[in-house]
Amino acid sequence: MSEQTSDENARKPRWWHWFSISAADDAMEPAGPAAQSAGTNELTAREVWLPAKRRMISKIADFLIDHDLEILPTTLTVAYECVTGGAPRIAQSILERTEKGLPITLKWIEEQRGESTHEKSSDALAVLMGRLEDSLDEFTRTTTGARTATSEYNSALKEHIDELEGVGRAGVVITELAALTRAMMERSIVIESELACSERRAQGLQTSLDETRRLAEVDHLTGLPNRRAFDQMLEREMREASKAGEELCIAFVDIDHFKRVNDAHGHPAGDRVLKFVGETLNRIADARCFVARHGGEEFAVIWRNHTVDMAWKKLDSARQEIAERRLVNRANDTPFGKITFSGGIADAFAFPDKSAAMKAADEALYAAKQSGRNRILRAGENPDPQAKAA
């Protein structure tokens, strides 16, 4: 049994062990001198945690060495988070990228950490906005109910005042009671006015909250919906399309050789390319098509009531339009060269769930990249073996 486990571990790629500290590792760690000689003596705290610390440091070192990364606060932090499971999203991205044979560079790590930080901030903002929205709803309901009750109370008081003043001549006590009731009514009128003012302010705050929520779901560079909005839209569209018995397709698009643009022309020029691609893709969007910036140089598209072939034709048309344009860097009149993108499309309902469908589209995108770029592939489609890299 131990030989079989050993063989399995030997067959695993070296990078696999960056992401796990198992009980088997503990068993393989030699005991300290005190433990070996003392036999029945209990281990000290140092003898317990020192082997684990050494394993962790070793795995962090393996991570940096295998990716030829400098020893920097950023790379050390990412390596530590991968070893300890502190950043599961980045760890998963590293695994997927390593499996595809793509390099883990300092620049890529910084981009991933930036996106992760932004997503965490967006998540926290969404939670806070949700709580505030619930509080506003409750406040508005309470205020409206109090204002209505106050108005009804005023009407009842006025009736009693009229009755009391009619008999007030019969006695001083009743006259004073009528005066007190009138004062109560006047005060309740003031309260009603203040409640109405609070209600208007709450409505204004709700409007501001709606605008903030909208901005939190928009990519500031392209003006397209961001990844959060895409995830929400996909959930809703899959649910509604399923009920309506309609087709639903998902596509991922990635700009080819985008790093070359940034390296040769700078990030402002790269931002212009992102905006240009986003604007071109957005022109195919309508009530049945939803386009979002998924992150970095990647975009995502959802088609409702479209077959895969219908979606492919529209996306390929956008691809051709972009490939035929010749963009120039306005800062120095230097041509960008040919800008292209690759894409992958999947039928959302041809897979067990949303995650499987997204993975199929992403794999089709990767196949398009590997088979030459500047092309759109359907999930499961075999790429042209004669294609050359663009």
Side-chain angles (χ1 to χ4, degrees):
M1 186 67 175
S2 60
E3 293 180 0
Q4 181 180 358
T5 303
S6 177
D7 292 340
E8 290 176 354
N9 289 334
R11 287 196 295 270
K12 287 184 178 179
R14 174 189 173 100
W15 52 260
W16 179 264
H17 299 282
W18 302 331
F19 302 96
S20 60
I21 300 179
S22 64
D25 293 331
D26 293 332
M28 293 169 60
E29 182 68 26
Q36 294 175 356
S37 60
T40 58
N41 293 342
E42 293 184 359
L43 293 176
T44 66
R46 176 180 174 81
E47 290 168 341
V48 171
W49 57 254
L50 188 57
K53 181 182 287 188
R54 285 173 175 165
R55 287 195 301 276
M56 182 181 297
I57 294 173
S58 175
K59 290 183 179 182
I60 291 173
D62 287 344
F63 181 95
L64 298 176
I65 292 171
D66 289 349
H67 293 300
D68 195 23
L69 293 169
E70 296 182 30
I71 301 176
L72 300 171
T74 299
T75 55
L76 284 171
T77 300
V78 169
Y80 175 80
E81 289 174 342
C82 289
V83 170
T84 61
R89 193 193 68 81
I90 293 180
Q92 181 62 31
S93 297
I94 290 174
L95 283 174
E96 293 174 354
R97 192 172 176 86
T98 304
E99 286 177 338
K100 293 177 181 179
L102 300 174
I104 307 299
T105 63
L106 176 60
K107 181 180 178 181
W108 181 86
I109 287 174
E110 289 175 341
E111 290 175 351
Q112 292 297 307
R113 284 178 61 81
E115 290 181 10
S116 178
T117 301
H118 176 71
E119 286 181 6
K120 288 179 180 178
S121 298
S122 298
D123 289 341
L125 179 59
V127 171
L128 289 174
M129 287 194 299
R131 291 175 180 172
L132 178 56
E133 193 167 33
D134 291 341
S135 298
L136 277 174
D137 289 341
E138 180 63 27
F139 175 77
T140 301
R141 286 194 298 270
T142 303
T143 304
T144 302
R147 184 168 55 80
T148 301
T150 304
S151 179
E152 294 173 352
Y153 176 64
N154 287 342
S155 298
L157 281 179
K158 191 175 185 310
E159 291 180 6
H160 291 308
I161 288 172
D162 292 339
E163 294 173 359
L164 289 170
E165 288 182 336
V167 299
R169 301 178 187 87
V172 177
V173 174
I174 294 181
T175 301
E176 291 179 352
L177 183 58
L180 178 60
T181 305
R182 180 175 293 281
M184 291 171 60
M185 185 187 74
E186 290 173 353
R187 178 54 184 160
S188 66
I189 291 173
V190 173
I191 294 174
E192 181 183 0
S193 175
E194 291 174 349
L195 287 171
C197 182
S198 296
E199 190 174 352
R200 288 193 297 271
R201 288 177 180 174
Q203 290 171 350
L205 185 56
Q206 180 66 57
T207 300
S208 299
L209 180 61
D210 292 341
E211 178 65 14
T212 302
R213 185 184 296 279
R214 186 189 69 80
L215 292 175
E217 295 178 352
V218 173
D219 174 59
H220 71 280
L221 177 64
T222 63
L224 293 172
N226 59 18
R227 183 171 185 166
R228 175 184 301 281
F230 169 79
D231 291 340
Q232 293 175 352
M233 177 63 73
L234 182 57
E235 289 277 1
R236 189 181 72 189
E237 291 294 282
M238 289 191 72
R239 183 172 59 253
E240 294 182 356
S242 178
K243 289 181 180 178
E246 296 178 339
E247 302 272 0
L248 190 74
C249 297
I250 306 170
F252 287 120
V253 166
D254 190 89
I255 301 174
D256 297 324
H257 300 304
F258 183 70
K259 185 176 183 297
R260 294 181 185 176
V261 175
N262 279 333
D263 291 345
H265 301 277
H267 287 281
D271 288 348
R272 184 188 165 203
V273 171
L274 286 170
K275 290 168 69 174
F276 167 64
V277 173
E279 289 167 359
T280 304
L281 289 172
N282 197 39
R283 284 200 288 273
I284 68 176
D286 53 27
R288 293 289 180 173
C289 179
F290 179 88
V291 178
R293 184 182 177 193
H294 203 247
E297 63 267 32
E298 187 175 79
F299 297 83
V301 191
I302 302 171
W303 279 277
R304 175 89 171 267
N305 204 25
H306 280 61
T307 64
V308 171
D309 289 339
M310 291 167 61
W312 183 92
K313 289 179 181 178
K314 289 190 176 182
L315 190 58
D316 195 60
S317 176
R319 179 196 62 78
Q320 291 179 15
E321 179 182 344
I322 290 173
E324 291 170 0
R325 291 284 298 274
R326 293 298 178 265
L327 301 181
V328 175
N329 186 349
R330 294 173 181 170
N332 51 24
D333 293 329
T334 303
F336 282 119
K338 187 176 182 180
I339 301 298
T340 64
F341 71 67
S342 303
I345 301 179
D347 178 351
F349 295 133
F351 300 89
D353 52 36
K354 180 187 73 172
S355 297
M358 292 174 66
K359 182 179 179 182
D362 189 58
E363 289 176 347
L365 165 61
Y366 178 67
K369 291 277 191 183
Q370 292 295 100
S371 64
R373 298 183 174 85
N374 190 23
R375 68 198 62 225
I376 313 297
L377 291 182
R378 304 164 183 83
E381 179 179 1
N382 293 321
D384 181 1
Q386 303 300 322
K388 296 181 179 180

